[in-house]
Amino acid sequence: MDFEHKITVLGSTGSIGTQTLEIARRYKGIRLCALSAYSNIELLEAQTREFMPKLVCVADEKKAREFETKVSDLDVKVVSGKEGLLEAAAFRDAQTVVTAVVGISGLLPTITAIKAGKNIALANKETLVTGGHIVMPLAREYGVKILPVDSEHSAIFQSLQGNPKRIKKIILTASGGPFFKKTREELKNVTPKDALNHPNWSMGAKVTIDSSTLVNKGLEIIEAKWLFGVGIEDIEVVIHRQSILHSAVMYEDNAVIAQLGTPDMRLPIQYALTYPDRLPMENNELDFTQYMALTFEKPDTEAFYALELAKKAGLAGGILPTVFNSSDEAAVKLFLEGKISYPEISEIIKNAMEGVKNIPDPSITEILETDKNIKESIYLRS
Ligand code: NDP
Ligand code: MG
């Protein structure tokens, strides 16, 4: 195959990262220039030995030193910390950077990669949620593409081809997560184990918890606003339990174009790497006759009110989407550590949003300072 694409994967040891490497394993034309992880150096070492990148970043400083010893027989440069992550993001050889780190830690590396002229295969939704007003114009200025990896956004991107104009609304589908139909009362006793048990998708811990609270869908509304230039009020969330219709676009004539497929993240990842080409994929063919029905329902915004908080943040703009995101990141961490109850995740977000004065058009420094302050104050109170 004459296809060649040089990529860097930030967060190569995570759910999206490992699936990206699975695609690179199949298509040898996809070359890995740089990789990064936070602390999982065992997996990172195996990936380094297999794909022989020129540069590897271990964000955790102590683990980075250990990693350096492990790979001392290889011709690879090891970097560490936040600076190292930026070095990996800008690493010269790559044409595209797959941003698969979790949380707001994806913001600066994405900006750095754009400034280095790289296309972005964007998995890290927190980047656009917190810095969409900076990242989108920057991508235009540097003439780089932002290709969505998030399955819903990839579906919208695919549905828009051929006609990116006269969009009436975007239909953003949500599985509803493991607690669909549960009342607020029933959510009180949910444990991390219950919340980590997603019915359709196997993902990293943070996004899995976010899917169960519908915070994930809230983040995706804001992500869609930036990617496709639509208003928050023109994005409709629909619960679709089977996760087969990955999202859709309704045009002004009410025609609806959607993308369907099995729930398999390899497809949106591969499409972002091979766009506009579509290369074969194994074990993901959709068998329509396996499904008795595809169902569509309204979300319960009373029990899962974080979705409404996200819309509010998205409509207000400024620093509020950062406050929404950062308070959620802190709350999810505390919930996974067993320090707060499940309903407290949404309560913490609500209180954080009520407790700040909005900053219109915040700078990167203001975004990162707000993130730090919000998280610190939540950790202090727990
Ligand atoms: P994971 O938790 O599985 O992986 C996260 C990756 O980032 C790991 O490589 C991890 O390293 C690294 N990492 C974690 N914290 C930091 C940090 N502070 N600095 C640098 N690197 C860090 O996450 P996912 O793959 O599930 O998700 C990645 C992103 O993609 C998220 O933004 C998520 O919302 C988005 N996404 C994920 C989907 C999925 O199916 N998983 C679907 C759609 C979007 P280590 O392994 O060493 O801890
Ligand atoms: Mg998604």
Side-chain angles (χ1 to χ4, degrees), residues 1 3-9 16-17 19-25 27 29-32 95-99 119-122 145 147-149 154 157 265-279 281:
M1 191 185 54
F3 168 80
E4 185 161 316
H5 197 166
K6 292 181 187 150
I7 67 168
T8 281
V9 183
I16 296 287
Q19 293 180 84
T20 307
L21 266 50
E22 211 180 297
I23 293 160
R25 194 170 285 128
Y27 289 111
I30 298 176
R31 298 282 186 76
L32 291 157
Q95 299 160 289
T96 296
V97 173
V98 181
T99 62
N119 291 320
I120 307 294
L122 185 78
K145 292 192 197 81
L147 294 158
V149 167
S154 176
F157 177 66
M265 282 308 296
R266 290 176 310 151
L267 190 138
I269 299 170
Q270 179 170 298
Y271 192 60
L273 296 180
T274 63
Y275 168 82
D277 206 354
R278 288 185 181 275
L279 298 185
M281 181 164 279

Side-chain angles (χ1 to χ4, degrees), residues 14-317:
S15 162
I16 296 287
T18 50
Q19 293 180 84
T20 307
L21 266 50
E22 211 180 297
I23 293 160
R25 194 170 285 128
R26 161 125 200 236
Y27 289 111
K28 302 290 176 214
I30 298 176
R31 298 282 186 76
L32 291 157
C33 303
L35 298 177
S36 92
Y38 185 72
S39 63
N40 185 352
I41 54 172
E42 288 72 28
L43 179 55
L44 191 61
E45 183 187 353
Q47 294 179 339
T48 304
R49 291 191 182 279
E50 181 179 357
F51 292 97
M52 298 301 244
K54 296 250 175 60
L55 184 121
V56 174
C57 171
V58 183
D60 182 296
E61 307 273 0
K62 200 164 147 256
K63 290 278 184 180
R65 285 192 292 277
E66 248 180 80
F67 183 77
E68 209 161 9
T69 315
K70 278 177 180 286
V71 297
S72 57
D73 59 317
L74 301 179
D75 180 19
V76 57
K77 181 177 176 189
V78 179
V79 293
S80 65
K82 288 184 180 157
E83 286 304 311
L85 193 58
L86 301 187
E87 194 175 333
F91 188 59
R92 60 173 195 274
D93 296 350
Q95 299 160 289
T96 296
V97 173
V98 181
T99 62
V101 297
V102 59
I104 200 168
S105 62
L107 178 61
L108 276 185
T110 309
I111 288 176
T112 304
I114 293 172
K115 287 186 176 168
K118 318 290 184 194
N119 291 320
I120 307 294
L122 185 78
N124 180 266
K125 56 192 88 191
E126 296 87 347
T127 293
L128 289 184
V129 169
T130 57
H133 58 293
I134 295 165
V135 171
M136 293 310 289
L138 200 66
R140 279 191 289 276
E141 184 187 334
Y142 282 84
V144 303
K145 292 192 197 81
I146 299 204
L147 294 158
V149 167
D150 212 339
S151 58
E152 296 78 1
H153 303 75
S154 176
I156 296 161
F157 177 66
Q158 293 176 59
S159 302
L160 283 170
Q161 281 168 41
N163 191 10
K165 293 197 184 108
R166 293 197 175 275
I167 303 167
K168 184 171 178 182
K169 65 176 165 182
I170 280 180
I171 293 111
L172 197 63
T173 50
S175 72
F179 310 129
F180 181 64
K181 297 276 189 210
K182 281 209 190 303
T183 61
R184 266 206 204 195
E185 195 52 36
E186 288 168 332
L187 291 174
K188 281 186 181 160
N189 300 319
V190 161
T191 65
K193 191 167 169 265
D194 302 329
L196 285 170
N197 188 17
H198 195 281
N200 302 347
W201 298 96
S202 162
M203 309 179 285
K206 196 246 174 192
V207 60
T208 306
I209 302 293
D210 284 351
S211 297
S212 78
T213 53
L214 292 199
V215 163
N216 181 54
K217 214 43 58 180
L219 295 171
E220 289 182 357
I221 292 177
I222 305 172
E223 186 186 10
K225 162 185 139 159
W226 290 115
L227 278 172
F228 307 113
V230 292
I232 296 286
E233 61 286 358
D234 298 327
I235 303 170
E236 182 183 350
V237 172
V238 175
I239 304 289
H240 167 50
R241 293 295 284 161
Q242 300 79 22
S243 297
I244 295 298
L245 189 150
H246 297 304
S247 281
V249 178
M250 182 183 280
Y251 288 95
E252 286 185 7
D253 61 359
N254 296 326
V256 178
I257 311 282
Q259 184 252 326
L260 286 78
T262 54
D264 186 335
M265 282 308 296
R266 290 176 310 151
L267 190 138
I269 299 170
Q270 179 170 298
Y271 192 60
L273 296 180
T274 63
Y275 168 82
D277 206 354
R278 288 185 181 275
L279 298 185
M281 181 164 279
E282 280 151 8
N283 306 322
N284 73 330
E285 191 177 316
L286 176 61
D287 176 0
F288 279 88
T289 60
Q290 252 193 13
Y291 295 86
M292 294 294 286
L294 297 185
T295 57
F296 302 94
E297 298 168 65
K298 279 193 197 307
D300 174 357
T301 51
E302 205 275 315
F304 300 94
Y305 63 94
L307 186 62
E308 294 303 296
L309 295 175
K311 281 188 200 163
K312 217 168 149 183
L315 277 169

